[in-house]
Amino acid sequence: MPDKKEEAPSFLKRAGTDKLREVFLKYASLQKDGEHYMTNEDFVRKFLGLFTEAAFNDESVRLLAGIADTSKDGLISFSEFQAFEGLLCTPDALYRTAFQLFDRQGNGMVSYADFADVVQKTELHSKIPFSLDGPFIKRYFGGKKQRLINYAEFTQLLHDFHEEYAMEAFRSKDPAGTGFISPLDFQDIIVKVKRHLLTPNVKDNLVAVTEGHKVSFPYFIAFTSLLNNMELIKQIYLQATQGNRHEPVTKDQLLYAAQTMSQITPLEIDILFQLTGAVYQTGRIAYSDLNNIAPEHYTKHITHRLAEIKAVESPADRSAFIQVLESTYRFTLGSFAGAVGATVVYPIDLVKTRMQNQRTGSFIGEIAYRNSWDCFKKVVRHEGFLGLYRGLLPQLMGVAPEKAIKLTVNDLVRDKLVDKNGDLPTWAEVLAGGCAGASQVVFTNPLEIVKIRLQVAGEIATGSKISALSVVRELGLFGLYKGARACLLRDVPFSAIYFPTYAHTKALMADQDGYNHPLTLLAAGAVAGVPAASLVTPADVIKTRLQVVARSGQTTYTGVWDATKKIMAEEGPRAFWKGTVARVFRSSPQFGVTLVTYELLQRLFYVDFGGSQPKGSEMPKPKVPLDNVISGTKITADHIGGYRAALPLLAGIESKFGLYLPRFGRGTASSSSASASASASSSTPSTATGS
């Protein structure tokens, strides 16, 4: 029995068969022998949403549909539709998709005729024809061009093809063989052959970087190699700065770090500084400079959004009204995030409060709880599971605006203090956090005093039931702010410690592109909560003692300083650290959940107000011009499972390999055109390139 082919690991969650069939039937317009089929236009134009113009290019549509149409009969069955969805989930989906584009016969191999057929239909070949009878082609397909290329060999062919294309273009501009081309010829070649690697900043400075001098062949090769190796350059930069993305580096520092990378030459480093110097004139390079001249990786387009709104066209259009809307937007998301975080950790908060209110030096008798775990067990035993959520409702009513105002003010102050490069000094981070902590007290103090009195109410065996409303009536407006000084003493340093620590921890956990996975956001929020929560515990103990109603025989306090002296005299310094563990275990996960919820909501419900987005959370904006049909198309609700990656991967075939297909000009899509067009290597493509 033959061995079963091992299934490739999936990097995207596969769609269910029933749901996938439902989507397929929605777009399949042809029925044959009781089976439904998608036509080329059904798949490419209707389902994927590509080439939707009336004057679309038939041949381009046929080529793209052929990626899924493995039987090459011009129809896509459900089994082919599902198989392609599975292929899109594989880790090497980009190369496999490109391979199926060139596998014109559907036999798992690429012939010379297949390769020539597709190449001749690209926009690049129409502008700079590639010699399909030259030594490069013969090295891969043999002298008689009869050798077939399998998938593994094809990946190397595709990698080498554009490097060879660039060299052939140079030779065409240097017919005399001098080894030099003019700056305008250099610009023309790079724009046409390396279009997929050009950001606007690079494209606009191609002539400027040559300083008007003729371009030598070594310089040309180094320049194209630099464009190909920008991700490696980023790694060298991070090595030079020990992971710091905000530290500018000199040419010497980058040269020293590049010694360990044989792929990067000193000439490429020279060109890098010439290029960034032409754009920024600083003499140093920061990570943001590299991001601005590096092409965007195709996989970043897969980020899913439930809503995407552009409130302004540019930051210059930010009016006072737009800034108010932005703060309202942040406040709303912060409210929801705060409620989620508070609910998750409320039982821990209740245990913390009861432990802090327990007084070892009083006349009330023996202590009620030996430790936090003992307190947890006794609450469940005597008050039931719901006893752990005693006082949750007023907590949610207060925590929503409390967390919202804290997050909104922190973001607002940070926005105001950033420098022209978008960087924020440490002192500004601390100041923003402190302002956020101070602003929240207006909500925090009334919330805390009501919550604490409800939480400790379960310790008193009385017949009367204490409610939030009765506590508010008893205290009155000014009573709700009892202990406000202690609250400020706790919340200002907490936020001043927490937000800078969170920002730096998040940056350390980001990937090489500065992007944070939700789990790293959660971890960063939790880690930052440890020092912030533990170091301000003494202030939290004082605040709790001031806000709780002292029972008969217990010490009463008149203010912060009075409470500090009496606690020290009666219970010793260790009393100030009561409930530290419970506080850390409550605050750390609460802020972790709150911050990850807040930032994920900003990703899902994205609104561009022209201001800043959380670092590591925003989907990077495309840095390559969106002048092709694929990059400008949006993912729809019907693009489920692997098809969520279909458009990004097809855009990747363009942006990584430069295989741009003509967008306009109706072509002739005949089944025999593939072999016919490939038979003559020097023939011109049969499709117009009206884009």
Side-chain angles (χ1 to χ4, degrees):
M1 183 177 178
D3 293 336
K4 183 179 179 181
K5 184 179 179 181
E6 184 177 352
E7 187 175 343
S10 175
F11 276 54
L12 281 176
K13 187 177 180 181
R14 293 289 307 272
T17 300
D18 292 340
K19 184 64 177 175
L20 201 61
R21 188 183 299 277
E22 180 184 331
V23 172
F24 175 80
L25 293 176
K26 179 178 177 180
Y27 293 92
S29 65
L30 186 65
Q31 191 168 357
K32 182 179 177 182
D33 298 329
E35 294 290 332
H36 289 83
Y37 296 90
M38 278 186 179
T39 64
N40 293 340
E41 290 190 28
D42 289 339
F43 182 71
V44 176
R45 302 186 70 215
K46 296 177 182 177
F47 174 62
L48 293 180
L50 304 174
F51 296 90
T52 54
E53 300 83 357
F56 70 94
N57 191 289
D58 289 335
E59 191 67 20
S60 296
V61 169
R62 185 179 67 82
L63 284 172
L64 289 179
I67 298 174
D69 178 19
T70 54
S71 63
K72 308 304 175 184
D73 59 358
L75 298 175
I76 299 171
S77 66
F78 174 69
S79 59
E80 289 174 323
F81 184 76
Q82 187 175 39
F84 186 51
E85 187 265 340
L87 180 146
L88 292 170
C89 292
T90 58
D92 57 343
L94 178 65
Y95 275 96
R96 289 195 177 275
T97 302
F99 179 72
Q100 293 200 184
L101 175 67
F102 281 86
D103 180 12
R104 306 297 299 132
Q105 307 305 316
N107 58 4
M109 304 292 282
V110 174
S111 67
Y112 164 74
D114 295 335
F115 186 77
D117 180 37
V118 176
V119 168
Q120 287 175 338
K121 290 177 173 61
T122 61
E123 292 186 357
L124 177 58
H125 185 78
S126 70
K127 296 172 182 176
I128 304 179
F130 184 82
S131 175
L132 293 168
D133 198 32
F136 174 81
I137 292 296
K138 291 179 179 179
R139 282 195 295 269
Y140 273 95
F141 292 101
K144 296 182 179 180
K145 295 177 284 190
Q146 294 178 347
R147 185 173 180 272
L148 300 180
I149 303 293
N150 62 27
Y151 168 68
E153 293 170 331
F154 171 81
T155 60
Q156 192 62 42
L157 165 63
L158 201 57
H159 176 272
D160 296 342
F161 174 63
H162 262 276
E163 302 316 302
E164 182 66 23
Y165 217 133
M167 288 189 283
E168 188 162 315
F170 186 94
R171 288 192 290 267
S172 72
K173 299 290 186 181
D174 180 30
T178 63
F180 289 91
I181 58 175
S182 70
L184 291 178
D185 284 339
F186 168 73
Q187 181 187 43
D188 185 57
I189 294 174
I190 297 298
V191 168
K192 289 177 179 176
V193 179
K194 295 294 181 180
R195 160 187 172 186
H196 55 293
L197 297 177
L198 298 181
T199 63
N201 285 330
V202 175
K203 185 177 180 180
D204 293 343
N205 288 278
L206 287 174
V207 175
V209 78
T210 68
E211 298 178 348
H213 303 302
K214 285 190 173 183
V215 177
S216 68
F217 181 72
Y219 186 97
F220 175 80
I221 293 298
F223 192 92
T224 58
S225 177
L226 176 66
L227 294 180
N228 290 328
N229 290 319
M230 281 307 301
E231 295 305 315
L232 187 58
I233 292 288
K234 290 180 182 179
Q235 293 301 311
I236 295 173
Y237 169 90
L238 292 174
Q239 181 178 326
T241 61
Q242 297 182 334
N244 187 340
R245 288 181 169 81
H246 303 288
E247 181 182 341
V249 297
T250 64
K251 184 190 294 186
D252 288 342
Q253 289 175 303
L254 208 61
L255 277 170
Y256 183 78
Q259 290 183 114
T260 59
M261 305 287 184
S262 59
Q263 301 98 314
I264 305 299
T265 66
L267 178 54
E268 289 177 47
I269 298 296
D270 284 342
I271 294 172
L272 176 66
F273 273 82
Q274 287 176 9
L275 191 56
T276 55
V279 179
Y280 302 108
Q281 296 93 32
T282 60
R284 291 173 178 257
I285 289 179
Y287 195 82
S288 58
D289 300 334
L290 300 179
N291 269 335
N292 287 331
I293 64 174
E296 183 186 12
H297 197 269
Y298 71 94
T299 55
K300 291 179 183 176
H301 288 291
I302 301 178
T303 303
H304 183 60
R305 288 174 176 168
L306 297 178
E308 185 171 351
I309 300 171
K310 192 173 183 65
V312 293
E313 288 300 320
S314 68
D317 298 330
R318 277 171 60 84
S319 62
F321 178 68
I322 290 295
Q323 293 181 53
V324 170
L325 282 181
E326 182 178 37
S327 294
T328 304
Y329 162 78
R330 289 172 172 172
F331 189 91
T332 303
L333 298 188
S335 298
F336 186 80
V340 172
T343 302
V344 169
V345 301
Y346 191 80
I348 303 174
D349 186 49
L350 182 135
V351 170
K352 182 240 12 165
T353 300
R354 293 199 178 183
M355 287 298 298
Q356 288 182 340
N357 189 49
Q358 184 169 259
R359 317 187 186 201
T360 56
S362 65
F363 302 102
I364 205 68
E366 64 179 38
I367 59 175
Y369 315 116
R370 294 190 300 274
N371 51 48
S372 296
W373 177 241
D374 181 58
C375 177
F376 179 85
K377 290 190 296 183
K378 287 180 177 177
V379 170
V380 174
R381 184 187 310 137
H382 298 298
E383 304 172 47
F385 178 77
L386 293 179
L388 294 170
Y389 288 92
R390 182 187 290 267
L392 175 62
L393 183 59
Q395 168 79 341
L396 292 181
M397 291 174 63
V399 82
E402 177 232 318
K403 289 294 184 290
I405 195 69
K406 176 185 284 190
L407 293 169
T408 303
V409 170
N410 179 66
D411 286 346
L412 180 65
V413 177
R414 290 174 73 94
D415 287 348
K416 299 298 182 184
L417 296 178
V418 293
D419 60 24
K420 61 181 180 180
N421 295 321
D423 297 325
L424 193 70
T426 303
W427 67 264
E429 292 184 278
V430 173
L431 178 61
C435 291
S439 67
Q440 80 176 74
V441 173
V442 66
F443 292 102
T444 303
N445 212 80
L447 159 72
E448 289 280 318
I449 196 167
V450 174
K451 179 196 70 174
I452 286 172
R453 295 203 177 188
L454 288 173
Q455 285 179 335
V456 300
E459 298 177 324
I460 308 171
T462 61
S464 59
K465 183 178 180 180
I466 300 178
S467 66
L469 188 59
S470 65
V471 173
V472 172
R473 285 173 176 169
E474 178 187 345
L475 290 170
L477 178 62
F478 292 105
L480 289 172
Y481 285 91
K482 183 178 182 181
R485 291 181 182 177
C487 212
L488 280 169
L489 194 63
R490 178 198 66 176
D491 291 341
V492 171
F494 176 92
S495 296
I497 295 170
Y498 181 82
F499 284 110
T501 306
Y502 171 71
H504 289 276
T505 306
K506 185 173 73 168
L508 289 174
M509 292 182 172
D511 65 13
Q512 63 182 11
D513 296 311
Y515 180 81
N516 283 98
H517 185 276
L519 288 179
T520 65
L521 294 176
L522 180 63
V527 168
V530 174
S534 58
L535 293 176
V536 300
T537 300
D540 195 45
V541 171
I542 294 170
K543 178 195 70 65
T544 300
R545 295 292 181 89
L546 287 172
Q547 292 181 334
V548 171
V549 178
R551 297 197 290 273
S552 177
Q554 287 185 333
T555 305
T556 58
Y557 311 108
T558 58
V560 173
W561 181 239
D562 181 60
T564 303
K565 291 188 295 181
K566 289 180 178 178
I567 293 171
M568 175 65 76
E570 296 175 2
E571 305 174 53
R574 293 185 62 182
F576 288 105
W577 301 98
K578 282 184 177 182
T580 299
V581 174
R583 175 169 168 76
V584 168
F585 274 94
R586 190 269 297 177
S587 295
S588 184
Q590 178 180 2
F591 274 88
V593 172
T594 299
L595 265 296
V596 72
T597 303
Y598 180 60
E599 296 203 12
L600 287 182
L601 286 173
Q602 290 187 72
R603 293 187 192 184
L604 292 172
F605 302 97
Y606 180 84
V607 181
D608 183 6
F609 290 100
S612 65
Q613 295 290 327
K615 290 185 182 295
S617 288
E618 72 273 18
M619 184 171 69
K621 298 176 181 178
K623 304 186 191 79
V624 291
L626 298 180
D627 57 357
N628 58 80
V629 67
I630 296 176
S631 297
T633 308
K634 293 185 180 297
I635 297 172
T636 71
D638 288 332
H639 295 166
I640 59 175
Y643 281 110
R644 285 184 57 218
L647 292 175
L649 285 169
L650 291 175
I653 291 176
E654 293 183 340
S655 64
K656 186 175 177 66
F657 306 129
L659 298 172
Y660 293 91
L661 296 174
R663 177 174 180 176
F664 301 110
R666 301 188 68 89
T668 56
S670 64
S671 60
S672 61
S673 64
S675 58
S677 63
S679 60
S681 60
S682 62
S683 64
T684 56
S686 61
T687 54
T689 60
S691 57

